[in-house]
Amino acid sequence: QVQVVESGGGLVQAGGSLRLSCAASGSIFIIDAMGWYRQAPGKQRELVAVITSGGTTTYADSVKGRFTISRDNAKNTVSLQMNSLKPEDTALYSCNVNGRTYALVRGDYWGQGTQVTVSS
């Protein structure tokens, strides 16, 4: 089994910052990409940022210049530094791990999510 655990969400005022962290453990053998997605009430889940094992990053246009994704390959962790937060950033943020288990089974593994609420 693969476990994905997020931390770091909370309530912050507009213009503030939060840092989300995610750790993958268990039977994960190779991680190709780690990323953050979010889902606001009544909306579809959307990509926020993703980073490959080689360090290539992709961001949603709405967060470019404000959010920074980073990862520690040795620790199987990924972080999302969120600055200049806006009320529209309010959502449930979920960590995604795309990789292969020791049985070389490829899959997408998700955490339970962490709530980020930005007040105006």
Side-chain angles (χ1 to χ4, degrees):
Q1 271 190 326
V2 178
Q3 291 82 42
V4 178
V5 179
E6 305 104 332
S7 61
L11 173 64
V12 65
Q13 287 188 330
S17 298
L18 282 174
R19 186 177 180 85
L20 305 183
S21 297
C22 169
S25 61
S27 60
I28 194 74
F29 177 48
I30 298 172
I31 297 179
D32 295 309
M34 301 182 82
W36 291 93
Y37 291 72
R38 68 186 181 187
Q39 186 168 20
K43 295 187 177 181
Q44 288 189 332
R45 184 168 60 191
E46 62 175 356
L47 170 72
V48 177
V50 64
I51 184 168
T52 68
S53 57
T56 300
T57 58
T58 301
Y59 294 93
D61 287 343
S62 59
V63 307
K64 284 181 181 177
R66 300 189 297 122
F67 292 10
T68 302
I69 190 169
S70 59
R71 69 185 276 182
D72 185 328
N73 290 334
K75 296 181 179 180
N76 288 345
T77 59
V78 64
S79 297
L80 185 69
Q81 178 66 42
M82 305 186 294
N83 298 328
S84 303
L85 283 161
K86 304 176 181 179
E88 50 264 44
D89 293 318
T90 295
L92 181 69
Y93 284 70
S94 298
C95 179
N96 172 268
V97 175
N98 178 269
R100 283 160 278 177
T101 65
Y102 286 102
L104 301 182
V105 175
R106 176 175 289 281
D108 276 303
Y109 305 95
W110 294 90
Q112 290 189 328
T114 184
Q115 179 67 35
V116 172
T117 303
V118 184
S119 63
S120 58

